[in-house]
Amino acid sequence: MCDDRLCSDCQEYCEQCDERYCPYCYERHACANTQDPCYRDPYEGRPVREPFTFGLEIEVDGNHDTDMLRNHRLIAGWCPDGSLHHDGSLEYQSEPMTMSQLTEIRRLVERIATDTDNTLSGGHMHISRTGRQTPARWYWALEALDGTQCEALNMRHMTDTRWCELIHGDYCGKDTAINDTHRHTIEFRTFGPWHHDTAGRLDAAVHYMHAMWRFFQKFPVPKLKTRDIQAMSRVAATQAINDTNATTAGRERI
């Protein structure tokens, strides 16, 4: 392991060789060459752009169709994840996507099935970073949602899961709902796993994130009041959920 001082939560445990490693020294880890392929940051080398993009970390807990995911053009890479403990578990990282690719990624998610209940996995979402996309703004947006809205958006920061606590001012690490430590994106760890049972919520989740991203882009920091962020968040969530439900009902009638 490298000489960086990390807490135990920042270290991963390798079940193949019983050694610990961290994200910074993974490629020097003894088993790194056995993982196919090494993780590649899909945002690395890409210019920071103003238009909205989103990416998904799709954790699949248990045996599943790895070829289907590995060979899909929207999947940038995959790797083991220390929070997943069933045989065959992997985390997949998508390419940065625009709204035009939402249907394609949803159709892929609809095909994901495992032999476990996926209770330990997550479906973190990354959105493109700009100076107006601050974690504090997003904190108030998420804080405004009620339990019904969170359920419909596949968000879990209102539950007791330790991996995505929503705490004002705490925007760093693997146990926060909003992780502000990435260079090109803001990571939202609040999202639950994406698979065939939750695929119907993906459209609403992305449309909500897109609506709030566009709203924040209109106002320089600090030109927004908390009450305005929260009011917009509730409206955006309701609209995204209703539109998705209507679209889903239309598809089922065809």
Side-chain angles (χ1 to χ4, degrees):
M1 183 172 171
C2 69
D3 294 329
D4 287 347
R5 297 183 62 183
L6 299 172
C7 66
S8 58
D9 285 344
C10 298
Q11 300 170 3
E12 303 291 351
Y13 174 76
C14 180
E15 295 182 353
Q16 298 185 56
C17 67
D18 294 328
E19 296 290 339
R20 289 189 177 275
Y21 62 90
C22 73
Y24 307 108
C25 68
Y26 176 71
E27 292 186 2
R28 285 182 277 154
H29 171 61
C31 293
N33 293 330
T34 68
Q35 306 302 333
D36 178 25
C38 291
Y39 172 72
R40 177 178 69 83
D41 182 355
Y43 286 85
E44 192 63 35
R46 293 173 179 249
V48 177
R49 298 182 298 168
E50 198 68 0
F52 174 83
T53 59
F54 71 99
L56 297 181
E57 295 178 17
I58 303 172
E59 297 177 358
V60 187
D61 195 14
N63 292 311
H64 59 283
D65 188 347
T66 57
D67 288 340
M68 175 189 72
L69 286 158
R70 290 180 178 184
N71 295 328
H72 197 278
R73 73 183 193 93
L74 291 181
I75 298 300
W78 55 89
C79 62
D81 187 285
S83 66
L84 305 177
H85 305 294
H86 291 100
D87 291 340
S89 300
L90 284 172
E91 175 194 296
Y92 299 85
Q93 303 89 28
S94 79
E95 296 282 359
M97 296 174 285
T98 65
M99 294 299 289
S100 65
Q101 294 163 303
L102 176 54
T103 297
E104 185 177 3
I105 191 66
R106 174 180 42 78
R107 287 174 177 168
L108 174 63
V109 169
E110 288 173 343
R111 297 166 60 194
I112 298 174
T114 73
D115 55 2
T116 70
D117 58 9
N118 265 272
T119 55
L120 295 177
S121 55
H124 310 156
M125 186 183 300
H126 291 248
I127 64 168
S128 47
R129 173 188 293 281
T130 75
R132 299 185 181 188
Q133 305 297 323
T134 70
R137 284 181 162 189
W138 280 102
Y139 167 84
W140 291 116
L142 297 188
E143 200 273 339
L145 302 177
D146 62 29
T148 300
Q149 290 172 320
C150 286
E151 176 70 18
L153 297 172
N154 202 29
M155 292 183 180
R156 52 190 184 163
H157 58 266
M158 294 189 70
T159 68
D160 58 358
T161 178
R162 65 174 289 254
W163 299 110
C164 55
E165 294 183 82
L166 185 63
I167 301 174
H168 190 224
D170 185 2
Y171 312 125
C172 176
K174 293 190 173 184
D175 57 356
T176 61
I178 305 167
N179 181 13
D180 193 41
T181 61
H182 298 281
R183 179 180 178 186
H184 300 297
T185 66
I186 299 177
E187 178 188 14
F188 293 83
R189 299 178 60 84
T190 176
F191 290 102
W194 298 113
H195 49 72
H196 67 291
D197 290 335
T198 60
R201 307 174 198 173
L202 182 57
D203 283 13
V206 175
H207 278 286
Y208 165 78
M209 299 296 287
H210 185 214
M212 291 307 300
W213 189 93
R214 292 177 62 190
F215 176 68
F216 291 144
Q217 284 298 102
K218 294 178 181 178
F219 300 96
V221 178
K223 297 293 184 180
L224 277 174
K225 297 183 182 300
T226 297
R227 65 172 181 268
D228 295 329
I229 293 173
Q230 296 196 304
M232 178 61 188
S233 180
R234 288 186 284 266
V235 170
T238 299
Q239 188 69 49
I241 294 165
N242 289 346
D243 287 351
T244 299
N245 289 340
T247 301
T248 301
R251 286 200 300 264
E252 292 174 350
R253 288 195 294 268
I254 296 176

